[in-house]
């Protein structure tokens, strides 16, 4: 299987187009609900043991929609939603969709000032969740049960796939947060694209899945919640990631499909608490949110007797663009473009297509690509190239078989004496060292020169000096890629989806 390369250097998906859905996210999940599916468990909360069936979830979502309609919330309105992964999150999310309103998902770790700023930028007419913003547009999570008990009838609304479904906020390819406008069609298309790829990976309907990453992030919402629900899976989740709960769930619930981010893969490969026999039912580890190194993925496969694949995407693409297939793509690759999707690889400066096999910025076109940034025409115009191509800001390459690899973020590439050094490549190498539990690499200035600086977390009881580590790396890389400074930390700062917070690392002073 290879991605088709046209004369215009467009890499088309090697898979047949899927038939897209013209309705809303709510309709996609619930319109064809059979009695058998309605009785299936939709969500299991690992920390409380609470469960909800598909039928119960629909009824509760309808009741929330009735409440929202009574408050005058419907098509054209925005509702900010800040609830940790739970049954309540799903009830509120589908209630907002059923009412015809737009959801603005907000992470639970965000401070009150930032929550207020994001809700204001999104134009929120109501806020549901944890942070009490001190006005009458607020509904606490604890109020949802009473709202559902009222059983107000869901309204008649007239919206279709073109309506705005969600406005998550993303840093995009520049640093300032921007509201990403995703229609129902964007999300339903990506659910169908992702469902196709999961089925290609041998995942059937009604499987037990583990979804530990935040539903408030687009990877969590589309890949970890909506797509498994389309497959009528039992989605096991937790309000925040806890390694003990995560590991125990596999043995207790017979988890077949696990969604992870690279830091979880590192733990699965190296952590002493991992008991391989607990993963007997597991068929697939699906990694996203950041590039996963092939050696780490192979270590997970060997240790647990399962398969690893990774997907690639971004908030602006709903998010899935590429997904690997076990047995067809190696786990260090993001695989091929998903159905109905085209990609290009271009020179970052000139936007000219680069020769096959060379690295360049990845461009994407497909039904999952956003409509643009909310109230930000300038950023939208900068991000889209003629022909509807979205600039991802990520550096990719395509191998001889058409498989894609993410090299790094364009803006995170270190320029050492004019040579480009990818932090992700050095991080992947560092993680192969037996004494290292975790690592992060950034470019820092020293004596007027940008150099690669490594931040390292040692395994418990391990000993390693900066000089020893720099020498070890130097033996394994091209000279200009050598690590030239090492700092040991207790932990690498990361966001809730597992991405390294490189800006936090850059703030740590360089000794000497």
């Amino acid at each position: 299987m290879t991605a088709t390369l046209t004369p215009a250097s467009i890499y088309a998906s090697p898979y047949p187009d899927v038939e897209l859905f013209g309705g809303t996210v709510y309709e996609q999940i619930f319109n064809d609900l059979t009695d058998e599916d309605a009785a299936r468990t939709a969500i299991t909360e690992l920390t409380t043991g609470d469960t909800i069936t598909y039928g119960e979830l629909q009824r509760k979502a309808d009741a929330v929609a009735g409440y929202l309609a009574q408050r005058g919330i419907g098509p054209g309105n925005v509702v900010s939603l800040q609830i940790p992964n739970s049954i309540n999150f799903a009830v509120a999310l589908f209630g907002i969709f059923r009412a015809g309103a737009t959801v603005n998902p907000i992470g639970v770790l965000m401070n009150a000032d930032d929550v207020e700023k994001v809700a204001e930028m999104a134009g929120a007419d109501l806020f549901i969740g944890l942070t009490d913003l001190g006005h009458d547009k607020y509904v606490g999570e604890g109020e949802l049960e009473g709202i559902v008990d009222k059983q107000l009838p869901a309204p008649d609304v007239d919206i279709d796939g073109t309506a705005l479904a969600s406005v998550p906020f993303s840093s995009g390819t520049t640093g300032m947060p921007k509201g990403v406008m995703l229609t129902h069609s964007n999300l339903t298309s990506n659910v169908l694209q992702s469902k196709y790829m999961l089925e290609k990976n041998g995942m059937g309907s009604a499987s037990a899945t583990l979804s530990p990453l935040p539903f408030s992030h687009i990877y969590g919402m589309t890949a970890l919640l909506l797509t498994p629900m389309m497959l009528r899976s039992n989605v096991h989740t937790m309000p925040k990631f806890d390694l003990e709960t995560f590991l125990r769930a596999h043995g207790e619930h017979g988890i077949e499909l696990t969604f992870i981010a690279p830091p979880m893969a590192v733990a699965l490969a190296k952590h002493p608490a991992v008991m391989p026999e607990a993963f007997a039912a597991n068929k697939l580890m699906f990694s996203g949110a950041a590039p996963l190194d092939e050696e780490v993925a192979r270590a997970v496969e060997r240790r647990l007797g399962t398969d690893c694949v990774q997907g690639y995407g971004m908030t602006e693409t709903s998010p899935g663009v590429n997904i690997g297939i076990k047995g067809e793509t190696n786990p260090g690759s993001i695989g091929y473009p998903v159905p109905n999707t085209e990609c290009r690889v271009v020179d970052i400066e000139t936007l000219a297509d680069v020769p096959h096999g060379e690295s360049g910025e990845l461009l994407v076109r497909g039904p999952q690509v956003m409509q643009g940034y909310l109230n930000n025409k300038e950023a939208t115009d900068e991000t889209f190239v003629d022909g509807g191509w979205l600039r991802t800001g990520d550096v990719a390459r395509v191998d001889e078989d058409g498989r894609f690899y993410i090299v790094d973020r364009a803006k995170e590439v270190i320029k050492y004496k004019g040579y480009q050094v990818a932090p992700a490549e050095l991080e992947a190498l560092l993680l192969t060292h037996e004494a290292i539990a975790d690592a992060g690499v950034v470019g820092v200035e020293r004596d007027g020169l940008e150099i690669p600086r490594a931040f390292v977390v040692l395994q418990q009881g391990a000993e390693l000096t900066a000089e020893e580590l720099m020498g070890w790396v130097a033996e394994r890389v091209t000279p200009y890629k050598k690590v030239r400074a090492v700092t040991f930390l207790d932990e690498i700062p990361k966001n809730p989806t597992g991405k390294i917070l490189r800006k936090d690392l850059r703030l740590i002073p360089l000794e000497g």
Side-chain angles (χ1 to χ4, degrees), residues 169-178 180 314-316 373 383 391-393 409 411:
F169 273 69
S170 164
S171 58
T173 53
T174 61
M176 295 300 292
K178 297 182 287 291
V180 175
M314 55 196 299
T315 308
E316 289 83 348
Y373 293 114
T383 303
R391 296 190 66 171
T392 66
R409 290 290 292 169
K411 63 181 180 180

Side-chain angles (χ1 to χ4, degrees), residues 60-100:
K60 290 189 174 187
D62 286 353
V64 170
Y67 167 81
L68 292 174
Q70 186 187 56
R71 290 198 63 158
I73 301 294
N77 295 120
V78 176
V79 180
S80 290
L81 179 61
Q82 189 199 30
I83 293 178
N85 287 17
S86 59
I87 291 167
N88 274 345
F89 180 96
V91 168
L93 178 73
F94 286 112
I96 294 165
F97 287 152
R98 176 63 182 82

Side-chain angles (χ1 to χ4, degrees), residues 31 118 125 138 173 175 198 222 228 238 304 330 439 463 489:
N31 267 15
V118 167
D125 300 290
Y138 171 74
T173 53
L198 284 180
T222 306
M238 59 186 91
L304 303 183
N330 83 52
E463 293 184 4
L489 299 177

Side-chain angles (χ1 to χ4, degrees), residues 78-81 93 97 102-107 110 118-119 121-122 164-172 176-183 186-187 215-222 314-319 370-374:
V78 176
V79 180
S80 290
L81 179 61
L93 178 73
F97 287 152
T102 300
V103 68
N104 162 231
I106 297 178
M110 197 176 285
V118 167
M121 289 172 70
L164 197 58
S166 185
V167 186
F169 273 69
S170 164
S171 58
M176 295 300 292
K178 297 182 287 291
V180 175
M181 297 191 293
L182 299 174
T183 63
N186 289 148
L187 297 179
F215 294 155
S216 56
H217 290 252
I218 197 67
Y219 174 42
M221 184 187 293
T222 306
M314 55 196 299
T315 308
E316 289 83 348
T317 57
S318 301
M370 68 168 182
Q371 305 309 295
Y373 293 114
L374 183 69

Side-chain angles (χ1 to χ4, degrees), residues 303-314:
R303 192 177 191 190
L304 303 183
T306 189
D307 286 289
C308 276
V309 300
Q310 65 175 312
Y312 164 78
M314 55 196 299

